[in-house]
Amino acid sequence: MSKETILFNRPHMTGKELDYIAQAKFGNMLAGDGPFTKHCHRWLESHTGCNKALLTHSCTAALEMAALLLDIQPGDEVIMPSYTFVSTANAFVLRGAVPVFVDIRPDTLNLDERLIEAAITPKTRAIVPVHYAGVACEMDSILAIARKHGLAVVEDAAQGVMSTYKGRALGSIGDLGAFSFHETKNVISGEGGALLVNDPALASRAEMIREKGTDRSRFFRGEVDKYTWQEVGSSFLPGEITAAFLWAQLQEAQAITDSRLAIWGNYHDALSALELRGALRRPIVPESCQHNAHMYYVLIAPGLDRQVVVDELKRHDIYTVFHYVPLHSSPAGTRYGRVQGSMDVTDEYSERLLRLPLWLGLSNDQQERVVGVLAEALAKA
């Protein structure tokens, strides 16, 4: 008889979400920028140290706002990893820019900062580091390169809420940062995101772009007597119900992170023997990085068949996933972007990476079962 199913992800609720949603409804404020949105903005600004935080309906929207704020034009180039979600590139392609794909580091799977300068041309406008698995890119080096060449830095910190680099919150280090609160993330609102504006010179325009290109926010603060169309923009706001859900999560963000780190640590300890045997490689977290346990992945040994491992786990009702198909090898990536240099690490690691179940409530017994079946599966692969 089959044991209970172990899903890859189970969205967590703190217990306050429905109460806050009801408060939003009975307060007759369901559109964006109500009291719960303001709570979230203050929390994000306080906990990250950014100049201004603005909730959006997705991290995708936050990245699209970043491209608009930087006045990205057709033909501009933006440097980024290929091993990332499509939104990282789409946000800039929508403005006519060319994503320039650079290989990743073999330790963290982040953008390899040593390869960035070779990708810079007179058309380069920005660098977009993606903090994979909530582990920070080497931001000091990236910022130094950006300053040297007069480039903007947009942090794709979709997976990085509650993570830090040398004590600084991810998303608050570059000119702009983007968070995701999608249900697969640590702190969630179903769909949702936030733009972190770190350059004060961009704050006013960011408000207008988010509010359909108008100065509506200034009007509500009493700074102008009417609001009107001032700027290009779109409707990037989430509704107040989304913000109410998110506020319940942000209030418990530290407890959520601590619980996930404990689960992550259990996996890390339990898988050390398989790493010593050469069957897999565990994640590497540099000392300068405090991660948030967004995911636990393994890199299965070269020569093993990952699909055999996935299928064997599934046969035991354990659901695992791999991750991105590299953008540079996707149909749109070949059409809209270009590759700088070798993509050997991206190509190899994208074929070896396997993400294990990780969600609040995952028990020690369930983790032992995952590790045990994984060991058997690797032996068969």
Side-chain angles (χ1 to χ4, degrees), residues 20-35:
Y20 288 170
I21 288 169
Q23 288 182 38
K25 192 271 182 193
F26 289 114
N28 294 314
M29 185 66 190
L30 296 182
D33 279 348

Side-chain angles (χ1 to χ4, degrees), residues 178-213:
F179 279 163
S180 173
F181 304 116
H182 185 268
E183 72 163 39
T184 57
K185 302 303 189 291
N186 297 20
V187 175
I188 65 173
S189 57
E191 295 281 355
L195 178 71
L196 304 188
V197 183
N198 305 312
D199 181 350
L202 298 175
S204 179
R205 283 189 63 224
E207 280 191 333
M208 288 188 281
I209 287 170
R210 176 174 173 269
E211 191 59 279
K212 309 162 191 73

Side-chain angles (χ1 to χ4, degrees), residues 277-281 299-306 348 352 378:
R277 278 198 303 232
L280 54 78
R281 200 205 81 185
L299 294 168
I300 66 171
L304 299 185
D305 189 330
R306 180 177 63 184
E348 178 189 344
R352 292 172 53 198
L378 290 167

Side-chain angles (χ1 to χ4, degrees), residues 64-377:
E64 290 175 8
M65 283 184 63
L68 285 166
L69 271 168
L70 296 179
D71 292 317
I72 298 296
Q73 299 294 316
D76 288 346
E77 295 183 346
V78 180
I79 295 168
M80 64 184 66
S82 169
Y83 196 62
T84 182
F85 190 58
V86 297
S87 296
T88 312
N90 258 337
F92 299 94
V93 171
L94 281 167
R95 312 263 47 94
V98 177
V100 178
F101 300 120
V102 170
D103 209 357
I104 54 176
R105 293 169 53 129
D107 55 354
T108 60
L109 281 63
N110 283 328
L111 179 68
D112 192 331
E113 70 282 357
R114 299 166 298 182
L115 305 177
I116 291 174
E117 283 203 277
I120 295 173
T121 74
K123 296 180 180 180
T124 307
R125 291 290 314 284
I127 304 168
V128 186
V130 179
H131 303 299
Y132 187 71
V135 176
C137 296
E138 186 46 60
M139 291 303 297
D140 283 351
S141 297
I142 291 171
L143 290 174
I145 293 167
R147 285 193 294 267
K148 177 181 175 182
H149 295 275
L151 306 176
V153 175
V154 179
E155 293 177 77
D156 185 336
Q159 302 169 5
V161 177
M162 301 296 289
S163 291
T164 62
Y165 170 76
K166 297 184 177 180
R168 299 181 63 186
L170 302 194
S172 73
I173 304 168
D175 299 285
L176 298 161
F179 279 163
S180 173
F181 304 116
H182 185 268
E183 72 163 39
T184 57
K185 302 303 189 291
N186 297 20
V187 175
I188 65 173
S189 57
E191 295 281 355
L195 178 71
L196 304 188
V197 183
N198 305 312
D199 181 350
L202 298 175
S204 179
R205 283 189 63 224
E207 280 191 333
M208 288 188 281
I209 287 170
R210 176 174 173 269
E211 191 59 279
K212 309 162 191 73
T214 73
D215 53 357
R216 185 171 181 262
S217 293
R218 294 190 65 205
F219 171 71
F220 282 121
R221 289 196 297 265
E223 296 171 4
V224 293
D225 60 0
K226 58 183 178 294
Y227 71 89
T228 186
W229 187 18
Q230 300 282 348
E231 171 71 81
V232 296
S234 189
S235 183
F236 289 114
L237 286 71
E240 193 67 358
I241 286 176
T242 298
F245 194 110
L246 179 60
W247 178 234
Q249 296 268 317
L250 290 175
Q251 288 180 302
E252 300 296 328
Q254 188 60 60
I256 290 169
T257 304
D258 291 344
S259 295
R260 293 183 69 99
L261 283 167
I263 296 168
W264 193 98
N266 285 342
Y267 270 138
H268 208 60
D269 292 342
L271 290 165
S272 60
L274 285 173
E275 183 173 62
L276 285 171
R277 278 198 303 232
L280 54 78
R281 200 205 81 185
R282 297 177 298 167
I284 295 172
V285 180
E287 288 186 9
S288 59
C289 305
Q290 174 56 59
H291 71 107
N292 61 357
H294 171 60
M295 72 172 84
Y296 197 95
Y297 68 83
V298 296
L299 294 168
I300 66 171
L304 299 185
D305 189 330
R306 180 177 63 184
Q307 193 57 51
V308 170
V309 176
V310 171
D311 291 344
E312 183 66 14
L313 286 158
K314 185 177 179 181
R315 192 173 70 81
H316 286 81
D317 296 319
I318 299 170
Y319 288 83
T320 58
V321 298
F322 47 89
H323 216 173
Y324 314 118
V325 173
L327 297 186
H328 75 276
S329 58
S330 67
T334 58
R335 190 158 65 246
Y336 298 121
R338 72 173 177 85
V339 170
Q340 172 62 39
S342 164
M343 302 298 285
D344 288 349
V345 180
T346 300
D347 288 335
E348 178 189 344
Y349 283 29
S350 65
E351 294 293 328
R352 292 172 53 198
L353 188 138
L354 184 67
R355 298 176 64 189
L356 304 183
L358 200 167
W359 33 267
L360 261 65
L362 187 69
S363 69
N364 290 345
D365 287 345
Q366 288 171 317
Q367 285 189 270
E368 287 178 13
R369 188 172 143 220
V370 171
V371 171
V373 176
L374 175 62
E376 295 172 5

